[in-house]
Structures are given as structure tokens and as C-alpha cells.
């Protein structure tokens, strides 16, 4: 019954927040007039209120109102009763720590498995993988575990970036980091480039958007999958 | 009594492993004929043996032999008896988790406070800060805490990178990540560019190498410090 859009980024270069997704969101959120927004990832450290106001602005063209999960005293109940849910990007460690703090992972997993339409961008997509072991974010807080919602049978690396061929920087490339991940973890990693998203309907996982995705499986060379590829076979 | 070199990177572009540091290391490790190497960070997932062999090669010009901490059954004793210690780069989460696993943080802190000459590069420098909250690495394993050795009264961000002015990438810049860090943590962060290192003698902390360092203090605009600046005032 799952009905999820998991996007690499909320914003593509030269475009406003969520703009490139609006056509898809119009279909995805058909019949929805209010969305519950999870603002916990706080990009750049902005407040929950400011982040929620920004998102409310982005949903105006769809005539959908937005309320923030932080405003609810009973957060589990707010999730259970939500018509639809959006989790925005920011810091994945902060987001996951808050979900553990309020004990919301089980409830969120249950409603999303039950069909509540969901949008995740960046950190909000990352938490739908098996774990946040492949986030790009800085570990500015310490969550009790890196285990996440496990709504897809792999990990996501949002904002996937190819190595720059003319770089003189000696820090690890994204691909090298994911190789290190596979020294300790076996699940595949989907490197989602900006402009890509996963559309999950029941257990059918399809790559959408223009870019290809880079797939990292343990003991295999990384490879590319084109838009509209079926990722349901990855596990 | 501290006597530490904490370098942003082991290798600068177009140069071999540790090559740019050899002149300084010759002075730093004067009288030392054997170094204990901590290979736990395993860059790219290489084995402890392979990493130790690589480092042994790099120390040959200084006529210093290298043995790996992983070869010792009693790792605390190996640290206590070491003439000098080098911790190499790789994955900071893996490194710190291993130090917690073998219960080595206290011993390592004690000998380094007592004067054992130490070299850290990248992850090996990062663990000398207050915490690993400002690592760039992927959280491929979950350490029980992000608290680190605290041999300097701030955090280090190795491989510090300026934002690219012509980038179309929408992922967070390093500066934005550190701003997010300061939404949850108060200690300063020293952004150490590749080619820079901190020289710590007793409680005197001096920036060495050609690049300037970028300093991030809570509620202040980031600023640059030149080579040979005294960083002892940061706290």
C-alpha cells in the first residue's frame, strides 16, 4: 500500500523550492488539502516555524495547507491522522534523533506502510532507507542508532555527486565513501542525483526524473540505471 | 607536555603520502626509531596490514620503523610503551568506534598529555578535537558516542573546502554544515585546509603550512587566520 516520493533534493539549481516536483506532487497529493510537515532537519539551523512557513509557501500553488509536526502535543496522533506527510531536508542526524526522541519511527513506518501519501526530500528521503549510514551530513548530534524506517530495501545517498575529474582535493570522493560503507554493511546504495526521485507504489520502486542513478552493490562494480528503471529487484 | 602535529591531510595533490610533512616530522620525531601506527580508519576499506605497510614505506626516509596497533594483543600497553604514535586517516566513525571498542581513549589521552610525540592526519587529527561532530566522513558504523580525545579545546574540520562559486550543486556547503553544528554545539571549529597542520607543544597551538585556516565561532562571522597564528586563545 506504500505511496511515496523520495527525492534527492527539494530544489534544483535555478528553480524555486519544490518547483521541479510540482506536476508530480499534484498527482501524488490528489484530494489532499492539508499536509503534515516534519521540520526537524532544520537546514542551516532555521527554526521549525520558519521552515514550516517556507514549505507552506511552496505548497500554495497546489492549494494545500501545511501544518508543522512541532506544533502538535501528541505527535504520534498527528502522524496517524495526517492526510499526507512531507519530511524536508536539512541535517539527517538531527532529524533521526528527534524521531527517536519522540518515539515516532514505529508510527511513521506503520502509516506509510498503510498508504498515507508521503514526500521526502534529501534527509526526508534518507530516513526511508534501511539506515542513515549513507547520509552526506555532518554528525552534529548523536542519535541512539542509525537505523531508519526501512521502507525501501536499500540505502539512499541523496545529492549524489560524481567525482570531479580535475579536482586537486584529496578528501574522499562520494564513491570512495560508499565503498568504505560496503566494508561494514551489505545493503545496496542508490546514489540519487539532484533532479531524480524514487516513486514507490506498493512494492514497486521506479526511478523518476531526468538523471540516471548510480547503484552500488557489495562486491560489484557500480553501475547506472536510467530514468523509469525498476529498482524493486535491489535488496 | 603535549607534543602533537595534527594535519588536515596525509597527502597533498601531486605529492606522495606524508611527503610534504617529512621535514617537520624529522624534527618532531627526532630520536624516535619506531612508531606505533593506529590503522583503524581503513581508508577505502583497506586492511590494517595493508595500511600499516603503506605507512612503513612513507617513514623509510626518516629511518623510522612502523608497527601496527592491530598486531598487539594488549593494545593499551602498546600505547603506553610507544616511543611515538601516528593515527592515519580514513573513516572517522570506524576509527572512533574501534577506540571505544578496545577502551583505548583514556590511555591514548593520558600518554599524549604526558608527551608521547603524535602525528594525526585527517581522521587521526579529528579525534584529537573535543568530538567528531565536525567530520566530513560517512557514518558507516555507529560509535557509542561522538566524544573524542579533547587534546585541543575546539573541534577540527579537516580537508576544509571553500564553497565553489560556480557550483550548481544544491547540497550543503561545508560552511553551512558547520553553521548547523553551531545550532547544537558551542565549541569553535577550526577549518584546516589541505597543506595546513596544527603544531601543539604543551598548551601552545600554532597553525603551520601555507594555507590560512577558517575559524568558526558560535554567533560570530567566520574568519581567516594566517600561518603561524596562535590558536591557543580559542576555546
Amino acid at each position: 500500500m506504500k505511496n511515496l516520493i523520495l527525492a534527492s533534493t527539494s530544489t534544483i539549481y535555478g528553480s524555486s523550492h519544490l518547483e521541479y516536483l510540482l506536476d508530480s506532487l499534484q498527482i501524488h497529493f490528489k484530494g489532499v488539502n492539508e499536509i503534515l510537515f516534519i521540520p526537524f532537519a532544520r537546514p542551516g539551523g532555521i527554526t521549525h516555524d520558519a521552515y514550516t512557513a517556507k514549505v507552506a509557501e511552496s505548497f500554495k500553488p497546489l492549494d494545500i495547507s501545511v501544518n508543522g509536526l512541532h506544533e502538535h502535543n501528541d505527535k504520534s496522533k498527528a502522524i496517524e491522522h495526517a492526510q499526507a506527510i512531507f519530511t524536508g531536508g536539512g541535517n539527517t542526524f538531527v532529524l533521526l534523533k528527534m524521531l527517536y526522541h519522540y518515539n515516532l519511527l514505529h508510527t511513521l513506518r506503520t502509516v506509510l506502510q498503510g498508504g498515507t501519501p508521503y514526500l521526502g526530500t534529501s534527509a526526508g528521503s534518507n530516513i526511508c532507507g534501511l539506515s542513515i549510514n549513507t547520509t552526506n551530513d555532518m554528525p552534529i548530534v548523536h542519535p541512539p542508532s542509525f537505523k531508519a524506517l526501512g521502507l525501501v530495501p536499500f540505502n539512499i545517498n541523496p545529492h549524489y555527486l560524481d567525482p570531479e575529474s580535475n579536482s586537486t582535493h584529496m578528501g574522499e570522493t562520494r564513491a570512495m565513501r560508499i565503498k568504505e560503507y560496503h566494508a561494514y554493511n551489505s545493503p545496496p546504495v542508490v546514489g540519487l542525483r539532484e533532479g531524480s526521485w524514487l516513486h514507490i507504489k506498493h512494492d514497486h520502486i521506479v526511478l523518476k526524473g531526468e538523471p540516471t542513478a548510480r547503484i552500488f552493490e557489495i562486491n560489484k562494480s557500480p553501475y547506472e540505471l536510467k530514468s523509469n528503471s525498476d529498482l524493486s529487484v535491489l535488496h
Side-chain angles (χ1 to χ4, degrees), chain A:
Chain A
M1 276 286 284
K2 281 176 273 189
N3 189 17
L4 324 169
I5 287 183
L6 308 181
S8 173
T9 182
S10 64
T11 314
I12 58 172
Y13 183 72
S15 165
S16 66
H17 187 244
L18 296 183
E19 192 180 346
Y20 79 103
L21 283 170
L22 281 183
D23 288 350
S24 303
L25 295 181
Q26 192 143 37
I27 300 163
H28 189 59
F29 290 134
K30 202 180 164 171
V32 169
N33 46 44
E34 186 169 40
I35 275 184
L36 179 68
F37 176 57
I38 303 183
F40 294 157
R42 299 180 61 195
I46 63 168
T47 65
H48 296 148
D49 279 343
Y51 199 10
T52 304
K54 177 185 171 169
V55 166
E57 203 57 43
S58 305
F59 273 97
K60 270 191 182 157
L62 300 181
D63 220 11
I64 295 175
S65 69
V66 172
N67 68 88
L69 182 57
H70 65 293
E71 298 161 34
H72 294 264
N73 286 328
D74 189 338
K75 292 177 173 54
S76 284
K77 203 169 158 188
I79 289 172
E80 280 165 6
H81 291 196
Q83 287 180 42
I85 298 172
F86 169 35
T87 307
N91 188 287
T92 311
F93 295 88
V94 173
L95 170 60
L96 189 64
K97 189 176 179 174
M98 288 291 273
L99 294 177
Y100 275 109
H101 175 75
Y102 289 117
N103 200 17
L104 297 175
L105 282 152
H106 176 72
T107 309
L108 193 53
R109 188 183 294 116
T110 304
V111 302
L112 298 187
Q113 280 169 339
T116 303
Y118 178 87
L119 168 65
T121 58
S122 193
S125 298
N126 216 154
I127 57 163
C128 292
L130 295 169
S131 77
I132 66 158
N133 285 122
T134 52
T135 174
N136 311 306
D137 293 339
M138 214 172 237
I140 61 177
V141 298
H142 185 259
S145 163
F146 291 157
K147 284 215 178 90
L149 292 166
L151 294 163
V152 289
F154 46 75
N155 263 10
I156 293 170
N157 180 249
H159 302 281
Y160 182 76
L161 259 190
D162 295 292
E164 279 177 59
S165 54
N166 59 349
S167 173
T168 60
H169 186 67
M170 301 302 287
E172 292 88 346
T173 63
R174 195 70 62 83
M176 189 170 178
R177 295 175 194 281
I178 295 171
K179 191 176 165 196
E180 291 176 0
Y181 160 88
H182 272 140
Y184 292 89
N185 306 274
S186 54
V189 179
V190 174
L192 265 189
R193 292 187 176 85
E194 293 180 353
S196 283
W197 65 94
L198 301 177
H199 188 206
I200 295 126
K201 195 94 185 176
H202 307 283
D203 282 316
H204 202 62
I205 307 169
V206 181
L207 178 67
K208 293 289 182 183
E210 281 183 26
T212 58
R214 193 153 184 89
I215 311 296
F216 300 83
E217 292 186 85
I218 192 166
N219 299 329
K220 278 176 79 167
S221 294
Y223 59 94
E224 296 288 322
L225 283 182
K226 284 184 185 159
S227 188
N228 290 314
S229 291
D230 182 356
L231 275 75
S232 318
V233 291
L234 283 179
H235 58 84

